[in-house]
Structure formats: C-alpha cells, structure tokens
mmCIF file of all heavy atoms in Angstrom:
data_model
loop_
_atom_site.group_PDB
_atom_site.id
_atom_site.type_symbol
_atom_site.label_atom_id
_atom_site.label_comp_id
_atom_site.label_asym_id
_atom_site.label_seq_id
_atom_site.Cartn_x
_atom_site.Cartn_y
_atom_site.Cartn_z
ATOM 1 N N MET A 26 0.806 -1.214 0.000
ATOM 2 C CA MET A 26 0.000 0.000 0.000
ATOM 3 C C MET A 26 0.847 1.276 0.000
ATOM 4 O O MET A 26 0.307 2.382 0.075
ATOM 5 C CB MET A 26 -0.925 -0.006 1.207
ATOM 6 C CG MET A 26 -2.269 0.518 0.843
ATOM 7 S SD MET A 26 -3.560 0.014 1.932
ATOM 8 C CE MET A 26 -3.000 0.606 3.495
ATOM 9 N N ALA A 27 2.148 1.150 -0.122
ATOM 10 C CA ALA A 27 3.005 2.337 -0.140
ATOM 11 C C ALA A 27 3.081 2.914 -1.555
ATOM 12 O O ALA A 27 3.251 2.167 -2.519
ATOM 13 C CB ALA A 27 4.400 1.983 0.344
ATOM 14 N N PRO A 28 2.961 4.242 -1.710
ATOM 15 C CA PRO A 28 3.048 4.849 -3.039
ATOM 16 C C PRO A 28 4.345 4.506 -3.773
ATOM 17 O O PRO A 28 4.363 4.475 -5.006
ATOM 18 C CB PRO A 28 2.959 6.353 -2.761
ATOM 19 C CG PRO A 28 2.249 6.453 -1.451
ATOM 20 C CD PRO A 28 2.641 5.233 -0.674
ATOM 21 N N ALA A 29 5.416 4.217 -3.046
ATOM 22 C CA ALA A 29 6.683 3.875 -3.699
ATOM 23 C C ALA A 29 6.550 2.597 -4.533
ATOM 24 O O ALA A 29 7.295 2.401 -5.493
ATOM 25 C CB ALA A 29 7.793 3.711 -2.664
ATOM 26 N N PHE A 30 5.602 1.739 -4.168
ATOM 27 C CA PHE A 30 5.459 0.451 -4.849
ATOM 28 C C PHE A 30 4.238 0.403 -5.751
ATOM 29 O O PHE A 30 4.136 -0.449 -6.620
ATOM 30 C CB PHE A 30 5.412 -0.688 -3.828
ATOM 31 C CG PHE A 30 6.642 -0.732 -2.966
ATOM 32 C CD1 PHE A 30 6.649 -0.136 -1.715
ATOM 33 C CD2 PHE A 30 7.804 -1.325 -3.432
ATOM 34 C CE1 PHE A 30 7.798 -0.144 -0.931
ATOM 35 C CE2 PHE A 30 8.955 -1.343 -2.652
ATOM 36 C CZ PHE A 30 8.950 -0.745 -1.405
ATOM 37 N N ASN A 31 3.269 1.297 -5.514
ATOM 38 C CA ASN A 31 2.066 1.346 -6.343
ATOM 39 C C ASN A 31 1.648 2.808 -6.399
ATOM 40 O O ASN A 31 1.106 3.357 -5.439
ATOM 41 C CB ASN A 31 0.970 0.467 -5.732
ATOM 42 C CG ASN A 31 -0.311 0.509 -6.550
ATOM 43 O OD1 ASN A 31 -0.525 1.391 -7.374
ATOM 44 N ND2 ASN A 31 -1.182 -0.458 -6.306
ATOM 45 N N ALA A 32 1.915 3.459 -7.532
ATOM 46 C CA ALA A 32 1.722 4.911 -7.661
ATOM 47 C C ALA A 32 0.274 5.340 -7.480
ATOM 48 O O ALA A 32 0.009 6.525 -7.293
ATOM 49 C CB ALA A 32 2.239 5.378 -9.018
ATOM 50 N N GLU A 33 -0.667 4.403 -7.541
ATOM 51 C CA GLU A 33 -2.076 4.783 -7.385
ATOM 52 C C GLU A 33 -2.533 4.804 -5.930
ATOM 53 O O GLU A 33 -3.624 5.294 -5.624
ATOM 54 C CB GLU A 33 -2.957 3.823 -8.193
ATOM 55 C CG GLU A 33 -2.787 4.059 -9.687
ATOM 56 C CD GLU A 33 -3.580 3.084 -10.541
ATOM 57 O OE1 GLU A 33 -4.521 2.466 -10.037
ATOM 58 O OE2 GLU A 33 -3.218 2.952 -11.714
ATOM 59 N N ARG A 34 -1.678 4.319 -5.022
ATOM 60 C CA ARG A 34 -2.043 4.286 -3.600
ATOM 61 C C ARG A 34 -2.065 5.702 -3.028
ATOM 62 O O ARG A 34 -1.234 6.544 -3.392
ATOM 63 C CB ARG A 34 -1.049 3.436 -2.806
ATOM 64 C CG ARG A 34 -1.065 1.966 -3.217
ATOM 65 C CD ARG A 34 -2.046 1.116 -2.429
ATOM 66 N NE ARG A 34 -3.430 1.484 -2.571
ATOM 67 C CZ ARG A 34 -4.369 0.691 -3.107
ATOM 68 N NH1 ARG A 34 -4.053 -0.471 -3.575
ATOM 69 N NH2 ARG A 34 -5.611 1.075 -3.145
ATOM 70 N N LEU A 35 -3.026 5.953 -2.146
ATOM 71 C CA LEU A 35 -3.128 7.212 -1.400
ATOM 72 C C LEU A 35 -3.265 8.427 -2.302
ATOM 73 O O LEU A 35 -2.803 9.507 -1.977
ATOM 74 C CB LEU A 35 -1.910 7.390 -0.471
ATOM 75 C CG LEU A 35 -1.584 6.202 0.446
ATOM 76 C CD1 LEU A 35 -0.345 6.500 1.275
ATOM 77 C CD2 LEU A 35 -2.751 5.863 1.361
ATOM 78 N N THR A 36 -3.914 8.266 -3.456
ATOM 79 C CA THR A 36 -4.094 9.402 -4.360
ATOM 80 C C THR A 36 -5.510 9.961 -4.297
ATOM 81 O O THR A 36 -5.740 11.080 -4.736
ATOM 82 C CB THR A 36 -3.806 9.002 -5.826
ATOM 83 O OG1 THR A 36 -4.575 7.842 -6.136
ATOM 84 C CG2 THR A 36 -2.332 8.705 -6.037
ATOM 85 N N ASP A 37 -6.459 9.201 -3.762
ATOM 86 C CA ASP A 37 -7.865 9.621 -3.748
ATOM 87 C C ASP A 37 -8.275 9.836 -2.293
ATOM 88 O O ASP A 37 -8.486 8.890 -1.542
ATOM 89 C CB ASP A 37 -8.694 8.518 -4.409
ATOM 90 C CG ASP A 37 -10.180 8.825 -4.428
ATOM 91 O OD1 ASP A 37 -10.635 9.707 -3.660
ATOM 92 O OD2 ASP A 37 -10.893 8.174 -5.202
ATOM 93 N N SER A 38 -8.376 11.106 -1.858
ATOM 94 C CA SER A 38 -8.573 11.367 -0.428
ATOM 95 C C SER A 38 -9.912 10.835 0.078
ATOM 96 O O SER A 38 -10.013 10.400 1.225
ATOM 97 C CB SER A 38 -8.420 12.853 -0.130
ATOM 98 O OG SER A 38 -9.378 13.591 -0.836
ATOM 99 N N ALA A 39 -10.944 10.812 -0.780
ATOM 100 C CA ALA A 39 -12.231 10.262 -0.337
ATOM 101 C C ALA A 39 -12.092 8.769 -0.045
ATOM 102 O O ALA A 39 -12.621 8.256 0.939
ATOM 103 C CB ALA A 39 -13.294 10.500 -1.403
ATOM 104 N N LYS A 40 -11.332 8.097 -0.888
ATOM 105 C CA LYS A 40 -11.108 6.658 -0.698
ATOM 106 C C LYS A 40 -10.258 6.406 0.550
ATOM 107 O O LYS A 40 -10.555 5.504 1.337
ATOM 108 C CB LYS A 40 -10.404 6.117 -1.949
ATOM 109 C CG LYS A 40 -10.132 4.637 -1.914
ATOM 110 C CD LYS A 40 -9.636 4.197 -3.295
ATOM 111 C CE LYS A 40 -8.812 2.939 -3.186
ATOM 112 N NZ LYS A 40 -8.415 2.440 -4.510
ATOM 113 N N VAL A 41 -9.231 7.212 0.745
ATOM 114 C CA VAL A 41 -8.381 7.049 1.937
ATOM 115 C C VAL A 41 -9.221 7.209 3.200
ATOM 116 O O VAL A 41 -9.150 6.394 4.120
ATOM 117 C CB VAL A 41 -7.219 8.068 1.910
ATOM 118 C CG1 VAL A 41 -6.468 8.059 3.236
ATOM 119 C CG2 VAL A 41 -6.256 7.749 0.773
ATOM 120 N N GLU A 42 -10.065 8.252 3.227
ATOM 121 C CA GLU A 42 -10.914 8.469 4.405
ATOM 122 C C GLU A 42 -11.884 7.314 4.610
ATOM 123 O O GLU A 42 -12.126 6.886 5.733
ATOM 124 C CB GLU A 42 -11.696 9.785 4.261
ATOM 125 C CG GLU A 42 -10.937 10.989 4.794
ATOM 126 C CD GLU A 42 -10.503 10.822 6.255
ATOM 127 O OE1 GLU A 42 -11.268 10.296 7.079
ATOM 128 O OE2 GLU A 42 -9.373 11.207 6.569
ATOM 129 N N LYS A 43 -12.456 6.803 3.513
ATOM 130 C CA LYS A 43 -13.414 5.700 3.612
ATOM 131 C C LYS A 43 -12.755 4.486 4.248
ATOM 132 O O LYS A 43 -13.306 3.869 5.156
ATOM 133 C CB LYS A 43 -13.948 5.344 2.216
ATOM 134 C CG LYS A 43 -14.990 4.226 2.249
ATOM 135 C CD LYS A 43 -15.412 3.785 0.863
ATOM 136 C CE LYS A 43 -14.511 2.696 0.337
ATOM 137 N NZ LYS A 43 -14.991 2.096 -0.914
ATOM 138 N N TRP A 44 -11.541 4.171 3.782
ATOM 139 C CA TRP A 44 -10.870 2.965 4.285
ATOM 140 C C TRP A 44 -10.324 3.154 5.689
ATOM 141 O O TRP A 44 -10.309 2.219 6.481
ATOM 142 C CB TRP A 44 -9.787 2.502 3.314
ATOM 143 C CG TRP A 44 -10.400 1.801 2.143
ATOM 144 C CD1 TRP A 44 -10.617 2.310 0.895
ATOM 145 C CD2 TRP A 44 -10.934 0.473 2.115
ATOM 146 N NE1 TRP A 44 -11.237 1.390 0.106
ATOM 147 C CE2 TRP A 44 -11.441 0.246 0.814
ATOM 148 C CE3 TRP A 44 -11.039 -0.553 3.060
ATOM 149 C CZ2 TRP A 44 -12.033 -0.956 0.437
ATOM 150 C CZ3 TRP A 44 -11.624 -1.756 2.676
ATOM 151 C CH2 TRP A 44 -12.110 -1.939 1.390
ATOM 152 N N PHE A 45 -9.879 4.379 6.013
ATOM 153 C CA PHE A 45 -9.482 4.641 7.403
ATOM 154 C C PHE A 45 -10.680 4.400 8.315
ATOM 155 O O PHE A 45 -10.564 3.747 9.350
ATOM 156 C CB PHE A 45 -8.998 6.089 7.581
ATOM 157 C CG PHE A 45 -7.498 6.250 7.536
ATOM 158 C CD1 PHE A 45 -6.909 7.194 6.714
ATOM 159 C CD2 PHE A 45 -6.670 5.474 8.344
ATOM 160 C CE1 PHE A 45 -5.525 7.362 6.688
ATOM 161 C CE2 PHE A 45 -5.293 5.637 8.325
ATOM 162 C CZ PHE A 45 -4.720 6.587 7.487
ATOM 163 N N LYS A 46 -11.832 4.927 7.945
ATOM 164 C CA LYS A 46 -13.017 4.782 8.786
ATOM 165 C C LYS A 46 -13.350 3.313 8.964
ATOM 166 O O LYS A 46 -13.488 2.818 10.085
ATOM 167 C CB LYS A 46 -14.189 5.535 8.135
ATOM 168 C CG LYS A 46 -15.419 5.584 9.018
ATOM 169 C CD LYS A 46 -16.434 6.577 8.475
ATOM 170 C CE LYS A 46 -16.111 8.005 8.876
ATOM 171 N NZ LYS A 46 -17.234 8.923 8.777
ATOM 172 N N ARG A 47 -13.431 2.585 7.874
ATOM 173 C CA ARG A 47 -13.830 1.176 7.918
ATOM 174 C C ARG A 47 -12.798 0.329 8.663
ATOM 175 O O ARG A 47 -13.144 -0.443 9.565
ATOM 176 C CB ARG A 47 -13.980 0.685 6.473
ATOM 177 C CG ARG A 47 -14.485 -0.730 6.373
ATOM 178 C CD ARG A 47 -14.725 -1.103 4.929
ATOM 179 N NE ARG A 47 -15.789 -0.304 4.313
ATOM 180 C CZ ARG A 47 -16.174 -0.449 3.034
ATOM 181 N NH1 ARG A 47 -15.580 -1.325 2.250
ATOM 182 N NH2 ARG A 47 -17.147 0.283 2.546
ATOM 183 N N ASN A 48 -11.539 0.494 8.306
ATOM 184 C CA ASN A 48 -10.516 -0.414 8.861
ATOM 185 C C ASN A 48 -10.163 -0.070 10.302
ATOM 186 O O ASN A 48 -9.885 -0.965 11.097
ATOM 187 C CB ASN A 48 -9.263 -0.407 7.977
ATOM 188 C CG ASN A 48 -9.551 -1.066 6.635
ATOM 189 O OD1 ASN A 48 -10.570 -1.708 6.469
ATOM 190 N ND2 ASN A 48 -8.662 -0.899 5.697
ATOM 191 N N CYS A 49 -10.162 1.195 10.653
ATOM 192 C CA CYS A 49 -9.912 1.543 12.062
ATOM 193 C C CYS A 49 -11.027 0.981 12.939
ATOM 194 O O CYS A 49 -10.764 0.443 14.009
ATOM 195 C CB CYS A 49 -9.792 3.058 12.238
ATOM 196 S SG CYS A 49 -8.254 3.734 11.560
ATOM 197 N N LYS A 50 -12.274 1.078 12.469
ATOM 198 C CA LYS A 50 -13.377 0.514 13.259
ATOM 199 C C LYS A 50 -13.233 -0.994 13.391
ATOM 200 O O LYS A 50 -13.479 -1.560 14.459
ATOM 201 C CB LYS A 50 -14.720 0.858 12.618
ATOM 202 C CG LYS A 50 -15.194 2.243 12.987
ATOM 203 C CD LYS A 50 -16.602 2.494 12.465
ATOM 204 C CE LYS A 50 -17.070 3.900 12.803
ATOM 205 N NZ LYS A 50 -18.140 4.339 11.901
ATOM 206 N N ASP A 51 -12.837 -1.656 12.304
ATOM 207 C CA ASP A 51 -12.662 -3.115 12.358
ATOM 208 C C ASP A 51 -11.575 -3.495 13.347
ATOM 209 O O ASP A 51 -11.717 -4.445 14.113
ATOM 210 C CB ASP A 51 -12.252 -3.658 10.976
ATOM 211 C CG ASP A 51 -13.461 -3.866 10.069
ATOM 212 O OD1 ASP A 51 -14.593 -3.636 10.519
ATOM 213 O OD2 ASP A 51 -13.245 -4.269 8.910
ATOM 214 N N VAL A 52 -10.446 -2.771 13.294
ATOM 215 C CA VAL A 52 -9.267 -3.181 14.064
ATOM 216 C C VAL A 52 -9.322 -2.640 15.498
ATOM 217 O O VAL A 52 -8.944 -3.331 16.446
ATOM 218 C CB VAL A 52 -7.979 -2.704 13.352
ATOM 219 C CG1 VAL A 52 -6.741 -2.985 14.192
ATOM 220 C CG2 VAL A 52 -7.847 -3.399 11.990
ATOM 221 N N LEU A 53 -9.779 -1.409 15.662
ATOM 222 C CA LEU A 53 -9.705 -0.754 16.974
ATOM 223 C C LEU A 53 -11.083 -0.552 17.615
ATOM 224 O O LEU A 53 -11.165 -0.053 18.739
ATOM 225 C CB LEU A 53 -9.038 0.629 16.826
ATOM 226 C CG LEU A 53 -7.632 0.651 16.200
ATOM 227 C CD1 LEU A 53 -7.206 2.086 15.947
ATOM 228 C CD2 LEU A 53 -6.632 -0.049 17.099
ATOM 229 N N SER A 54 -12.152 -0.892 16.894
ATOM 230 C CA SER A 54 -13.527 -0.645 17.356
ATOM 231 C C SER A 54 -13.792 0.835 17.608
ATOM 232 O O SER A 54 -14.628 1.205 18.436
ATOM 233 C CB SER A 54 -13.840 -1.453 18.619
ATOM 234 O OG SER A 54 -13.654 -2.822 18.357
ATOM 235 N N ARG A 55 -13.046 1.697 16.931
ATOM 236 C CA ARG A 55 -13.297 3.147 16.981
ATOM 237 C C ARG A 55 -12.612 3.766 15.768
ATOM 238 O O ARG A 55 -11.796 3.107 15.119
ATOM 239 C CB ARG A 55 -12.720 3.759 18.266
ATOM 240 C CG ARG A 55 -11.197 3.612 18.396
ATOM 241 C CD ARG A 55 -10.644 4.459 19.534
ATOM 242 N NE ARG A 55 -9.218 4.225 19.749
ATOM 243 C CZ ARG A 55 -8.235 4.770 19.035
ATOM 244 N NH1 ARG A 55 -8.508 5.564 17.999
ATOM 245 N NH2 ARG A 55 -6.981 4.508 19.311
ATOM 246 N N GLU A 56 -12.949 5.020 15.491
ATOM 247 C CA GLU A 56 -12.248 5.684 14.393
ATOM 248 C C GLU A 56 -10.848 6.085 14.843
ATOM 249 O O GLU A 56 -10.605 6.294 16.034
ATOM 250 C CB GLU A 56 -13.042 6.911 13.940
ATOM 251 C CG GLU A 56 -14.309 6.497 13.204
ATOM 252 C CD GLU A 56 -14.970 7.657 12.485
ATOM 253 O OE1 GLU A 56 -14.268 8.604 12.088
ATOM 254 O OE2 GLU A 56 -16.201 7.612 12.332
ATOM 255 N N CYS A 57 -9.926 6.179 13.897
ATOM 256 C CA CYS A 57 -8.583 6.646 14.236
ATOM 257 C C CYS A 57 -8.608 8.166 14.439
ATOM 258 O O CYS A 57 -9.408 8.869 13.817
ATOM 259 C CB CYS A 57 -7.609 6.314 13.111
ATOM 260 S SG CYS A 57 -7.218 4.557 13.010
ATOM 261 N N THR A 58 -7.713 8.643 15.280
ATOM 262 C CA THR A 58 -7.565 10.087 15.449
ATOM 263 C C THR A 58 -6.760 10.648 14.277
ATOM 264 O O THR A 58 -6.087 9.902 13.549
ATOM 265 C CB THR A 58 -6.820 10.419 16.752
ATOM 266 O OG1 THR A 58 -5.484 9.917 16.635
ATOM 267 C CG2 THR A 58 -7.493 9.783 17.965
ATOM 268 N N ALA A 59 -6.801 11.959 14.126
ATOM 269 C CA ALA A 59 -6.017 12.602 13.065
ATOM 270 C C ALA A 59 -4.531 12.291 13.240
ATOM 271 O O ALA A 59 -3.815 12.040 12.265
ATOM 272 C CB ALA A 59 -6.262 14.111 13.086
ATOM 273 N N ILE A 60 -4.074 12.272 14.490
ATOM 274 C CA ILE A 60 -2.650 11.993 14.744
ATOM 275 C C ILE A 60 -2.305 10.565 14.315
ATOM 276 O O ILE A 60 -1.258 10.328 13.701
ATOM 277 C CB ILE A 60 -2.325 12.228 16.237
ATOM 278 C CG1 ILE A 60 -2.423 13.720 16.559
ATOM 279 C CG2 ILE A 60 -0.934 11.698 16.601
ATOM 280 C CD1 ILE A 60 -2.298 14.067 18.023
ATOM 281 N N GLU A 61 -3.192 9.622 14.611
ATOM 282 C CA GLU A 61 -2.934 8.230 14.203
ATOM 283 C C GLU A 61 -2.909 8.102 12.681
ATOM 284 O O GLU A 61 -2.065 7.396 12.116
ATOM 285 C CB GLU A 61 -4.007 7.311 14.802
ATOM 286 C CG GLU A 61 -3.823 7.120 16.301
ATOM 287 C CD GLU A 61 -5.021 6.472 16.976
ATOM 288 O OE1 GLU A 61 -6.158 6.541 16.443
ATOM 289 O OE2 GLU A 61 -4.832 5.909 18.056
ATOM 290 N N LYS A 62 -3.809 8.819 11.999
ATOM 291 C CA LYS A 62 -3.816 8.757 10.528
ATOM 292 C C LYS A 62 -2.527 9.346 9.963
ATOM 293 O O LYS A 62 -1.947 8.793 9.029
ATOM 294 C CB LYS A 62 -5.033 9.496 9.968
ATOM 295 C CG LYS A 62 -6.358 8.812 10.310
ATOM 296 C CD LYS A 62 -7.506 9.564 9.653
ATOM 297 C CE LYS A 62 -8.784 9.411 10.416
ATOM 298 N NZ LYS A 62 -9.885 10.192 9.821
ATOM 299 N N VAL A 63 -2.095 10.461 10.536
ATOM 300 C CA VAL A 63 -0.835 11.070 10.076
ATOM 301 C C VAL A 63 0.323 10.087 10.258
ATOM 302 O O VAL A 63 1.178 9.948 9.384
ATOM 303 C CB VAL A 63 -0.561 12.394 10.833
ATOM 304 C CG1 VAL A 63 0.881 12.848 10.632
ATOM 305 C CG2 VAL A 63 -1.506 13.472 10.355
ATOM 306 N N ASP A 64 0.352 9.380 11.397
ATOM 307 C CA ASP A 64 1.428 8.415 11.651
ATOM 308 C C ASP A 64 1.431 7.313 10.590
ATOM 309 O O ASP A 64 2.493 6.964 10.051
ATOM 310 C CB ASP A 64 1.262 7.781 13.034
ATOM 311 C CG ASP A 64 1.690 8.701 14.175
ATOM 312 O OD1 ASP A 64 2.363 9.717 13.907
ATOM 313 O OD2 ASP A 64 1.345 8.400 15.329
ATOM 314 N N VAL A 65 0.258 6.766 10.277
ATOM 315 C CA VAL A 65 0.177 5.684 9.279
ATOM 316 C C VAL A 65 0.593 6.208 7.903
ATOM 317 O O VAL A 65 1.370 5.574 7.189
ATOM 318 C CB VAL A 65 -1.252 5.094 9.225
ATOM 319 C CG1 VAL A 65 -1.411 4.150 8.038
ATOM 320 C CG2 VAL A 65 -1.574 4.369 10.522
ATOM 321 N N LEU A 66 0.084 7.392 7.540
ATOM 322 C CA LEU A 66 0.413 7.949 6.222
ATOM 323 C C LEU A 66 1.897 8.276 6.123
ATOM 324 O O LEU A 66 2.525 8.023 5.092
ATOM 325 C CB LEU A 66 -0.434 9.205 5.952
ATOM 326 C CG LEU A 66 -1.932 8.929 5.758
ATOM 327 C CD1 LEU A 66 -2.692 10.243 5.635
ATOM 328 C CD2 LEU A 66 -2.184 8.063 4.526
ATOM 329 N N ALA A 67 2.481 8.810 7.197
ATOM 330 C CA ALA A 67 3.915 9.142 7.173
ATOM 331 C C ALA A 67 4.741 7.869 6.999
ATOM 332 O O ALA A 67 5.720 7.851 6.243
ATOM 333 C CB ALA A 67 4.308 9.868 8.457
ATOM 334 N N TYR A 68 4.310 6.801 7.679
ATOM 335 C CA TYR A 68 5.022 5.521 7.538
ATOM 336 C C TYR A 68 4.941 5.013 6.097
ATOM 337 O O TYR A 68 5.966 4.688 5.482
ATOM 338 C CB TYR A 68 4.419 4.487 8.501
ATOM 339 C CG TYR A 68 4.822 3.079 8.193
ATOM 340 C CD1 TYR A 68 6.136 2.645 8.373
ATOM 341 C CD2 TYR A 68 3.887 2.168 7.684
ATOM 342 C CE1 TYR A 68 6.500 1.336 8.056
ATOM 343 C CE2 TYR A 68 4.246 0.873 7.369
ATOM 344 C CZ TYR A 68 5.556 0.459 7.552
ATOM 345 O OH TYR A 68 5.914 -0.822 7.232
ATOM 346 N N LEU A 69 3.718 4.970 5.537
ATOM 347 C CA LEU A 69 3.546 4.430 4.182
ATOM 348 C C LEU A 69 4.282 5.283 3.149
ATOM 349 O O LEU A 69 4.896 4.766 2.219
ATOM 350 C CB LEU A 69 2.056 4.352 3.830
ATOM 351 C CG LEU A 69 1.260 3.274 4.571
ATOM 352 C CD1 LEU A 69 -0.231 3.447 4.317
ATOM 353 C CD2 LEU A 69 1.720 1.873 4.165
ATOM 354 N N MET A 70 4.221 6.631 3.325
ATOM 355 C CA MET A 70 4.853 7.511 2.333
ATOM 356 C C MET A 70 6.366 7.510 2.478
ATOM 357 O O MET A 70 7.080 7.868 1.543
ATOM 358 C CB MET A 70 4.294 8.928 2.483
ATOM 359 C CG MET A 70 2.851 8.997 1.984
ATOM 360 S SD MET A 70 1.937 10.424 2.561
ATOM 361 C CE MET A 70 2.856 11.741 1.807
ATOM 362 N N GLY A 71 6.880 7.082 3.636
ATOM 363 C CA GLY A 71 8.324 7.055 3.846
ATOM 364 C C GLY A 71 8.990 5.800 3.321
ATOM 365 O O GLY A 71 10.220 5.757 3.175
ATOM 366 N N LEU A 72 8.211 4.749 3.037
ATOM 367 C CA LEU A 72 8.796 3.489 2.553
ATOM 368 C C LEU A 72 9.416 3.704 1.194
ATOM 369 O O LEU A 72 8.859 4.371 0.344
ATOM 370 C CB LEU A 72 7.716 2.398 2.483
ATOM 371 C CG LEU A 72 7.147 1.923 3.815
ATOM 372 C CD1 LEU A 72 5.989 0.958 3.567
ATOM 373 C CD2 LEU A 72 8.219 1.237 4.656
ATOM 374 N N LYS A 73 10.595 3.100 0.986
ATOM 375 C CA LYS A 73 11.285 3.236 -0.307
ATOM 376 C C LYS A 73 11.620 1.866 -0.856
ATOM 377 O O LYS A 73 11.902 0.969 -0.096
ATOM 378 C CB LYS A 73 12.557 4.045 -0.136
ATOM 379 C CG LYS A 73 12.288 5.479 0.249
ATOM 380 C CD LYS A 73 13.555 6.317 0.161
ATOM 381 C CE LYS A 73 13.232 7.803 0.350
ATOM 382 N NZ LYS A 73 13.180 8.181 1.745
HETATM 383 C C1 HEM B 17 -5.555 -0.043 11.787
HETATM 384 C C2 HEM B 17 -5.426 -0.842 10.729
HETATM 385 C C3 HEM B 17 -5.626 -0.362 9.311
HETATM 386 C C4 HEM B 17 -5.425 0.888 8.776
HETATM 387 C C5 HEM B 17 -4.965 2.171 9.475
HETATM 388 C C6 HEM B 17 -5.755 0.801 7.361
HETATM 389 C C7 HEM B 17 -5.693 1.852 6.455
HETATM 390 C C8 HEM B 17 -6.055 1.802 5.115
HETATM 391 C C9 HEM B 17 -6.036 2.912 4.182
HETATM 392 C C10 HEM B 17 -5.581 4.339 4.498
HETATM 393 C C11 HEM B 17 -6.474 2.453 2.982
HETATM 394 C C12 HEM B 17 -6.612 3.264 1.672
HETATM 395 C C13 HEM B 17 -5.391 3.045 0.778
HETATM 396 C C14 HEM B 17 -5.398 3.851 -0.505
HETATM 397 O O1 HEM B 17 -6.244 4.717 -0.717
HETATM 398 O O2 HEM B 17 -4.504 3.641 -1.337
HETATM 399 C C15 HEM B 17 -6.798 1.048 3.148
HETATM 400 C C16 HEM B 17 -7.293 0.229 2.158
HETATM 401 C C17 HEM B 17 -7.633 -1.096 2.321
HETATM 402 N N1 HEM B 17 -7.446 -1.868 3.458
HETATM 403 FE FE1 HEM B 17 -6.745 -1.190 5.243
HETATM 404 N N2 HEM B 17 -6.113 -0.498 7.063
HETATM 405 C C18 HEM B 17 -6.064 -1.235 8.234
HETATM 406 C C19 HEM B 17 -6.388 -2.574 8.395
HETATM 407 C C20 HEM B 17 -6.882 -3.394 7.396
HETATM 408 C C21 HEM B 17 -7.285 -4.775 7.579
HETATM 409 C C22 HEM B 17 -7.190 -5.526 8.905
HETATM 410 C C23 HEM B 17 -7.718 -5.227 6.377
HETATM 411 C C24 HEM B 17 -8.226 -6.573 5.964
HETATM 412 C C25 HEM B 17 -8.114 -7.687 6.692
HETATM 413 C C26 HEM B 17 -7.597 -4.143 5.425
HETATM 414 C C27 HEM B 17 -7.961 -4.192 4.092
HETATM 415 C C28 HEM B 17 -7.948 -3.131 3.207
HETATM 416 C C29 HEM B 17 -8.452 -3.186 1.831
HETATM 417 C C30 HEM B 17 -9.062 -4.402 1.154
HETATM 418 C C31 HEM B 17 -8.252 -1.904 1.286
HETATM 419 C C32 HEM B 17 -8.617 -1.426 -0.126
HETATM 420 C C33 HEM B 17 -7.473 -1.703 -1.077
HETATM 421 C C34 HEM B 17 -7.773 -1.247 -2.498
HETATM 422 O O3 HEM B 17 -8.468 -0.259 -2.707
HETATM 423 O O4 HEM B 17 -7.259 -1.892 -3.407
HETATM 424 N N3 HEM B 17 -7.074 -3.043 6.067
HETATM 425 N N4 HEM B 17 -6.522 0.680 4.445
#
C-alpha cells in the first residue's frame, strides 16, 4: 500500500478516508484520530 510500490495508492482522499473509517473501526472498534492517521500515512509515504 506504499506509493513507492504502487503509484495509485493514497491518491484519492475520499477513498483514503473511507478505508481509514472502515478499517480503524474493524481493528480498533473506533475511528482513528487525526494523529494516528498522520502516523500511518507518514510511515507508508516514507517506505522506499
Ligand atoms: C488499523 C489498521 C488499518 C489501517 C490504518 C488501514 C488503512 C487503510 C487505508 C488508508 C487504505 C486506503 C489506501 C489507498 O487509498 O490507497 C486502506 C485500504 C484497504 N485496506 Fe486497510 N487499514 C487497516 C487494516 C486493514 C485490515 C485488517 C484489512 C483486511 C483484513 C484491510 C484491508 C484493506 C483493503 C481491502 C483496502 C482497499 C485496497 C484497495 O483499494 O485496493 N485493512 N486501508
């Protein structure tokens, strides 16, 4: 899911928000905070 490996990842903000909402609820039983989303995005965008 890192843009370095698939240029189409993280390009559609509506889709990113949709999947954050769905997957955070599945995994954490709550929505992620803005800080948690920034951490995940920074990690994925930093992969080379
Ligand atoms: C806290 C844990 C998770 C976070 C923060 C997370 C985050 C995300 C984000 C941001 C996207 C959008 C990616 C994009 O737009 O390129 C996404 C997509 C997706 N995630 Fe997760 N995810 C998590 C856990 C999971 C789990 C446990 C599953 C399945 C077992 C899963 C399955 C998927 C699928 C199927 C997509 C859509 C991929 C596609 O569009 O091709 N995720 N996730």
Side-chain angles (χ1 to χ4, degrees):
M26 220 158 58
F30 301 96
N31 179 343
E33 289 177 19
R34 296 270 62 117
L35 309 178
T36 52
D37 179 342
S38 61
K40 181 171 156 175
V41 171
E42 272 304 320
K43 182 186 88 172
W44 283 101
F45 263 129
K46 187 168 278 199
R47 184 175 296 179
N48 291 347
C49 288
K50 278 186 181 158
D51 277 358
V52 174
L53 303 172
S54 302
R55 62 169 174 81
E56 289 192 28
C57 288
T58 65
I60 292 173
E61 287 168 337
K62 293 183 208 177
V63 166
D64 283 346
V65 170
L66 292 175
Y68 165 69
L69 289 171
M70 288 162 64
L72 292 174
K73 294 190 172 85

